């Protein structure tokens, strides 16, 4: 996912900083502001309206709605009386997705807004570089965690459905916390080099700030190995292959369970299948939204600068792939609500409880909740 509309860089590769030349001083009035925007190469003259609509408006709206949806999902999962490893991992995914949305908002939305409106042009002189150098690595950590927590949920569900005799040992809440901690630690360690790629220094002669690459950020070997090879394998190809394989196995298992227990399924078994279906949908959305980013990364190595300039094919394709990556972190509430019966029940209880405590109690009596997770995680039958 391309984190900036202003420089030739591909998400989540390291920000490609402009040459270490002094930056233009902030404009002193509105006329100079407009002139500064027109002169600034970061603003892609000719494509400012397109970037404002796609990045500031659409991506800004996706981030806002995603934050609301993920927060609502987190509350529903916390309020659920059933505490399972899958539920805990879904809670964690809500928090991590929100962190990603919070960090990508300034990366995408601020710069096109400044370029299109001509307001706050000092952001292009100073704030832009701080955001790219310090917020971007945090967004990379969040994206790495989002990808691998999704893989972790898939593996957890695969064990519960296809390896039920091992689920009690591997899919407990305690094990899920340990696994999540390991994923988060690895996500941070993997992205530590991004914090050391560049820094900002003050140019006394020009009376302006300027971005400067460190020796690490200028290393061809580092960029080739870390920013390309490891990224393609660790962030795209490997998780996509794992999730595709897990999804195929889960779909087959769900069909087999449906054929075997079509007429004798208890409510708990039906809810168990419902959770598996939800995970399958979540993984499908992940694959659809992340695959264009993989294609964009390959195009970055093949296509020339003209394709990345305003009007070029990759210029538009990269913005589409960016948007889809954000959709992946913003849309899970819709998936949970449409495909998870228990989620709708708990959500309705909470909404009724906020609006009318009496109706909340009545709803509880009319709509008893049933466990949703696999055989090893069900509460004992009464």
């Amino acid at each position: 996912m391309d984190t900036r509309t202003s420089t030739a860089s591909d998400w989540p590769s390291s920000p490609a900083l402009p040459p270490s030349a002094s930056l233009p001083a902030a404009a002193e009035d509105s006329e100079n502001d407009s002139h500064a925007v027109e002169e600034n190469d970061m603003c892609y003259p000719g494509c400012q309206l397109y970037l404002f609509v796609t990045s500031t408006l659409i991506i800004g709206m996706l981030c806002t709605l995603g934050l609301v949806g993920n927060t609502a999902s987190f509350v529903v999962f916390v309020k659920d009386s059933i505490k399972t490893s899958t539920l805990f991992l879904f809670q964690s995914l809500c928090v991590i997705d929100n962190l990603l949305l919070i960090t990508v908002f300034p990366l995408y939305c601020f710069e096109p807004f400044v370029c299109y409106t001509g307001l706050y042009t000092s952001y292009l002189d100073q704030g832009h570089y701080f955001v790219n150098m310090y917020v971007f690595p945090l967004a990379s950590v969040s994206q790495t965690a989002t990808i691998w927590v999704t893989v972790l949920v898939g593996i957890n569900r695969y064990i519960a459905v296809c390896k039920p005799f091992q689920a009690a040992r591997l899919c407990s809440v305690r094990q899920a916390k340990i696994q999540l901690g390991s994923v988060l630690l690895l996500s941070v360690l993997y992205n530590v080099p991004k914090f050391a790629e560049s820094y900002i220094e003050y140019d006394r002669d020009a009376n302006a700030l300027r971005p400067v690459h460190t020796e690490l950020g200028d290393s061809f070997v580092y960029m080739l190995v870390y920013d390309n090879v490891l990224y393609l394998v660790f962030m795209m190809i490997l998780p996509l292959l794992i999730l595709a394989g897990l999804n195929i196995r889960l779909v087959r298992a769900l069909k087999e369970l449906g054929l075997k227990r079509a007429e004798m399924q208890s409510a708990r078994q039906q809810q168990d299948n419902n959770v598996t279906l939800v995970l399958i949908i979540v993984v499908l959305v992940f694959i659809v939204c992340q695959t264009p980013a993989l294609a964009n990364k390959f195009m970055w190595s093949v296509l020339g600068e003209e394709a990345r300039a305003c009007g070029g094919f990759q210029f538009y394709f990269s913005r589409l792939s960016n948007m889809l990556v954000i959709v992946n972190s913003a849309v899970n509430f819709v998936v949970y609500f449409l495909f998870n019966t228990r989620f709708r029940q708990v959500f309705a209880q909470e909404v009724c409880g906020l609006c009318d405590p009496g109706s909340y109690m009545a709803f509880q009596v009319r709509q008893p909740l049933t466990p949703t997770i696999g055989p090893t995680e069900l509460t004992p039958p009464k």
Side-chain angles (χ1 to χ4, degrees):
M1 186 166 67
D2 188 352
T3 56
R4 297 170 326 288
T5 57
S6 64
T7 58
S9 178
D10 180 49
W11 175 277
S13 25
S14 308
L17 300 176
S20 299
S22 58
L23 303 177
E28 297 180 357
D29 51 44
S30 58
E31 181 179 353
N32 289 337
D33 284 350
S34 302
H35 180 69
V37 168
E38 292 172 0
E39 295 278 327
N40 202 310
D41 291 337
M42 290 187 289
C43 288
Y44 288 107
C47 290
Q48 292 177 11
L49 177 59
Y50 170 79
L51 292 175
F52 176 74
V53 172
T54 57
S55 297
T56 302
L57 297 184
I58 297 179
I59 290 180
M61 180 185 65
L62 287 173
C63 289
T64 303
L65 295 178
L67 285 169
V68 174
N70 290 333
T71 302
S73 299
F74 178 82
V75 172
V76 170
F77 291 135
V78 169
K79 294 291 185 178
D80 196 332
S81 59
I82 305 299
K83 304 301 179 184
T84 65
S85 59
T86 303
L87 186 61
F88 171 75
L89 291 175
F90 277 141
Q91 290 178 27
S92 305
L93 190 59
C94 291
V95 176
I96 296 170
D97 279 338
N98 269 358
L99 292 176
L100 178 61
L101 295 175
I102 290 171
T103 51
V104 300
F105 185 85
L107 286 170
Y108 278 101
C109 301
F110 288 2
E111 186 181 307
F113 172 82
V114 172
C115 290
Y116 181 72
T117 63
L119 301 173
Y120 308 107
T121 56
S122 59
Y123 174 79
L124 300 178
D125 304 331
Q126 301 179 16
H128 165 80
Y129 299 105
F130 282 101
V131 167
N132 282 338
M133 276 184 247
Y134 301 119
V135 178
F136 169 75
L138 296 176
S140 297
V141 173
S142 301
Q143 190 196 19
T144 305
T146 294
I147 290 172
W148 286 101
V149 169
T150 304
V151 173
L152 183 59
V153 176
I155 294 174
N156 184 280
R157 196 68 209 144
Y158 167 78
I159 294 173
V161 173
C162 301
K163 307 287 183 181
F165 296 108
Q166 301 179 30
R169 179 173 57 89
L170 298 176
C171 297
S172 65
V173 174
R174 180 177 179 275
Q175 285 296 321
K177 290 180 179 179
I178 295 173
Q179 294 158 5
L180 176 66
S182 301
V183 168
L184 295 179
L185 178 61
L186 290 174
S187 298
V188 172
L189 293 177
Y190 175 78
N191 289 285
V192 164
K194 287 185 168 60
F195 290 90
E197 290 178 352
S198 56
Y199 63 93
I200 294 177
E201 71 175 16
Y202 177 69
D203 188 335
R204 292 182 179 276
D205 295 333
N207 191 29
L209 298 175
R210 65 173 188 171
V212 180
H213 279 302
T214 62
E215 184 177 350
L216 178 67
D218 269 335
S219 171
F220 172 79
V221 175
Y222 166 79
M223 296 299 292
L224 175 64
V225 175
Y226 176 79
D227 201 45
N228 288 278
V229 177
L230 286 181
Y231 171 73
L232 284 172
V233 174
F234 185 71
M235 294 288 289
M236 289 190 170
I237 297 175
L238 186 59
L240 285 173
L241 288 178
I242 292 174
L243 286 172
L246 291 173
N247 236 30
I248 292 172
R249 294 297 300 272
L250 287 172
V251 169
R252 290 177 179 173
L254 199 60
K255 288 183 178 179
E256 292 174 2
L257 291 173
L259 292 174
K260 291 179 181 179
R261 303 190 297 200
E263 297 180 356
M264 46 185 281
Q265 283 187 335
S266 66
R268 289 179 298 179
Q269 290 169 332
Q270 292 173 2
Q271 292 285 7
D272 180 41
N273 291 347
N274 183 241
V275 169
T276 303
L277 174 63
V278 169
L279 190 275
I280 290 172
I281 301 298
V282 168
V283 171
L284 284 175
V285 171
F286 178 91
I287 292 174
V288 170
C289 291
Q290 295 287 346
T291 300
L294 175 61
N296 188 49
K297 189 70 175 180
F298 281 115
M299 283 190 283
W300 188 262
S301 303
V302 175
L303 301 180
E305 288 292 335
E306 64 280 358
R308 293 189 284 272
C310 176
F313 173 76
Q314 193 179 5
F315 178 87
Y316 297 106
F317 184 83
S318 65
R319 271 69 189 175
L320 173 63
S321 68
N322 296 341
M323 197 178 302
L324 288 176
V325 170
I326 295 170
V327 166
N328 179 65
S329 289
V331 78
N332 281 342
F333 173 82
V334 178
V335 175
Y336 300 146
F337 189 86
L338 292 179
F339 297 99
N340 192 329
T341 304
R342 181 174 178 82
F343 183 91
R344 290 197 299 272
Q345 290 176 357
V346 178
F347 180 78
Q349 285 187 7
E350 294 305 313
V351 172
C352 290
L354 290 175
C355 299
D356 183 0
S359 65
Y360 170 74
M361 296 302 296
F363 184 88
Q364 274 194 312
V365 174
R366 294 194 303 270
Q367 300 285 347
L369 297 182
T370 53
T372 64
I373 311 301
T376 61
E377 301 176 323
L378 294 176
T379 55
K382 298 180 180 180

